[in-house]
Amino acid sequence: MFDLIIRNANLTTGQTGFDVGISDGKIAAIEKTLDGDCGEEIDATGRLLSPAFCDPHFHMDATLSLGKPRMNVSGTLLEGIALWGELRPIVTKEELVDRALRYCDLAVSQGLLFIRSHVDTSDPKLVTAEAMLEVREKVAPYIDLQLVAFPQDGYYRASEGVFALNRALDMGIEIVGGIPHFERTMDEGRQSVEALCRIAADRGLAVDMHCDETDDPMSRHIETLAAETIRFGLEGRVAGSHLTSMHSMDNYYVSKLIPLMAEAEINVIPNPLINIMLQGRHDTFPKRRGLTRVRELMEAGLNVSLGQDCTMDPWYSMGSADMLEVAHMGIHVAQMGGIEDKKQIFNAITTNSAKTMGLENYGLEVGCNADLVILQANDVVEALRLKPTRLYVLKGGKVVSQTPARISQLSLDGRPGVIDMGRDYVPGSH
Ligand code: FE2
């Protein structure tokens, strides 16, 4: 007896036409055909069933604030930071909560149920932290929200940066952030990495730093981050977000750096939408892409997951809580167009991200939590191409979002998307 059976689903492994039985919020069986009673059935009609998407890098406190108090004219990272600095003192907790909750509704409809958000701790009043802690509690029934204490204006550079970050951790934020390339000097950046890793070790927390988000090939804080990770015994619990300077680094130096990162078990989080938009801004032509070395890091055995970073905020005027959009851009900018490449990129927004975030019981196996999405696509490769409708989104085996199938998309096998809309649709009738 199952609470729910999803019939005729294609799995992310490439296996087709399986029934998935769910009991007590967990996947209880995956068989070609499941017999027996169940409370409810969903006919997946040969569509892709995937674990829900994970976004390991986001800014929930800034999301949906586009245009407040003004637009980013230059479109650069630095003007974005300055603009956020104008908004932060005047924004209220209620506004922050309201925008974040609206974003979370969108995220659920996109099958995005796991989010790690950086929370700016630069202002010692910590309205942002208070708001995001409230949001974390409010969305807990349907989104697992992890929070990072993020010293946007610099741990040392902001006048009360040290106090405010530690205070945010005391309030219940559970991951230590950092931004070494934005400190006043390279040396202060290095010192901030060491201090923040020490805090994580002392408090038993994970680390996730904005690291080397610059085109400067001499921005090498990732080397310090890897070394301090090993020194403090934090292997596997540290993430390096962005790492865009690696795009421009000397190749010989990188040949030493990547094995060090592997030794430290650094989780790598590129953010393709934002990196391709913000990097290379000081270049004339040719313009660098700025994305870190995704293929090389994956081939070296590093855990690489892709983040979204922004949706409609001072840094990025686009975004739609769609991790397939992030993956789609990642495929292009990292030039990962082969079929196996694409499967790796799909992993980067699902299982790899779950590993980065330390999620337990995540996946599409018996015993895993039934946090799932059924997509209007036949398989992983097609999902990446089409960024299709999320037909059903389930949290703990319960449907939390349902969206009608699109009628206009055509699969490689010629099967039109109308299959879910009924057989009376006549092509060209509207
Ligand atoms: Fe970020």
Side-chain angles (χ1 to χ4, degrees):
M1 173 71 185
F2 299 102
D3 299 330
L4 168 71
I5 294 179
I6 300 170
R7 300 268 184 211
N8 191 20
N10 292 353
L11 309 181
T12 47
T13 54
Q15 297 165 290
T16 58
F18 275 73
D19 291 352
V20 176
I22 294 167
S23 294
D24 299 324
K26 292 188 180 299
I27 297 173
I30 304 176
E31 306 280 348
K32 203 66 186 166
T33 306
L34 279 177
D35 295 323
D37 297 332
C38 65
E40 193 185 344
E41 284 195 19
I42 294 174
D43 184 358
T45 66
R47 301 302 190 192
L48 177 66
L49 175 68
S50 169
F53 298 118
C54 309
D55 181 359
H57 187 114
F58 194 64
H59 294 262
M60 190 81 82
D61 51 2
T63 195
L64 305 187
S65 67
L66 180 68
K68 296 180 189 311
R70 61 179 177 81
M71 293 295 286
N72 182 336
V73 177
S74 68
T76 60
L77 171 64
L78 293 180
E79 185 175 344
I81 293 174
L83 181 48
W84 173 239
E86 293 172 32
L87 177 60
R88 193 175 50 215
I90 57 174
V91 76
T92 66
K93 180 181 164 188
E94 289 69 30
E95 285 175 276
L96 291 166
V97 170
D98 176 61
R99 285 200 282 264
L101 292 178
R102 281 194 283 129
Y103 177 81
C104 286
D105 285 348
L106 176 64
V108 170
S109 75
Q110 298 279 35
L112 172 55
L113 300 183
F114 305 94
I115 301 172
R116 174 179 284 184
S117 177
H118 294 254
V119 181
D120 186 2
T121 60
S122 303
D123 187 329
K125 290 198 293 289
L126 292 171
V127 176
T128 46
E130 271 182 35
M132 293 307 112
L133 286 163
E134 184 177 321
V135 170
R136 182 172 74 181
E137 202 176 309
K138 282 200 157 110
V139 302
Y142 50 97
I143 287 179
D144 284 23
L145 177 59
Q146 297 183 349
L147 300 176
V148 184
F150 171 49
Q152 171 77 75
D153 292 354
Y155 183 60
Y156 291 129
R157 190 169 176 176
S159 59
E160 294 182 76
V162 173
F163 161 79
L165 181 136
N166 283 279
R167 173 82 187 102
L169 296 174
D170 292 339
M171 289 167 68
I173 290 185
E174 73 271 36
I175 300 168
V176 181
I179 187 164
H181 57 277
F182 196 69
E183 302 292 348
R184 286 192 179 86
T185 63
M186 286 286 183
D187 192 51
E188 284 196 359
R190 183 195 60 71
Q191 290 175 44
S192 77
V193 172
E194 197 237 329
L196 292 161
C197 285
R198 185 183 297 279
I199 289 169
D202 289 348
R203 290 179 181 252
L205 302 177
V207 174
D208 190 335
M209 285 192 196
H210 285 65
C211 194
D212 302 325
E213 188 183 3
T214 160
D215 297 311
D216 175 5
M218 297 310 290
S219 187
R220 296 175 167 185
H221 297 294
I222 179 58
E223 179 186 72
T224 308
L225 182 60
E228 295 299 319
T229 296
I230 295 165
R231 187 157 77 94
F232 286 108
L234 294 168
E235 290 94 336
R237 287 162 48 195
V238 174
S241 282
H242 292 296
L243 305 180
T244 51
S245 72
M246 287 185 71
H247 183 92
S248 301
M249 281 177 182
D250 173 73
N251 290 323
Y252 187 88
Y253 174 73
V254 171
S255 74
K256 177 178 174 236
L257 175 64
I258 289 182
L260 174 66
M261 292 168 65
E263 182 187 352
E265 300 171 40
I266 298 289
N267 296 290
V268 177
I269 310 176
N271 298 284
L273 294 170
I274 305 310
N275 298 153
I276 197 65
M277 182 64 93
L278 296 184
Q279 299 307 307
R281 288 278 176 155
H282 292 200
D283 295 353
T284 52
F285 287 94
K287 284 183 188 288
R288 286 167 287 179
R289 297 173 185 227
L291 192 72
T292 197
R293 304 186 187 208
V294 172
R295 181 189 299 280
E296 292 73 12
L297 289 160
M298 283 181 165
E299 286 176 354
L302 274 293
N303 183 48
V304 179
S305 45
L306 300 183
Q308 186 183 195
D309 206 3
C310 304
T311 287
M312 297 182 72
D313 67 12
W315 296 273
Y316 188 60
S317 61
M318 301 178 72
S320 58
D322 186 356
M323 293 310 294
L324 287 169
E325 184 175 82
V326 174
H328 193 269
M329 181 61 80
I331 287 168
H332 286 82
V333 184
Q335 300 181 328
M336 300 276 287
I339 288 176
E340 289 308 312
D341 294 341
K342 287 179 188 159
K343 290 176 181 171
Q344 290 293 319
I345 292 292
F346 193 84
N347 289 343
I349 56 168
T350 52
T351 50
N352 296 7
S353 286
K355 184 178 178 190
T356 297
M357 294 173 70
L359 302 179
E360 293 178 356
N361 301 318
Y362 176 92
L364 199 53
E365 293 170 21
V366 172
C368 291
N369 296 332
D371 302 330
L372 304 166
V373 56
I374 301 173
L375 297 120
Q376 191 188 356
N378 292 329
D379 56 34
V380 161
V381 170
E382 192 173 73
L384 289 163
R385 180 174 68 88
L386 295 174
K387 304 181 287 295
T389 300
R390 323 300 129 108
L391 301 170
Y392 294 89
V393 182
L394 294 94
K395 175 69 176 175
K398 300 259 186 311
V399 175
V400 289
S401 177
Q402 198 173 341
T403 306
R406 277 194 296 206
I407 57 174
S408 59
Q409 67 190 28
L410 198 66
S411 296
L412 267 184
D413 64 2
R415 186 165 63 148
V418 291
I419 196 159
D420 297 312
M421 296 291 288
R423 292 180 178 80
D424 53 352
Y425 170 71
V426 180
S429 64
H430 68 286

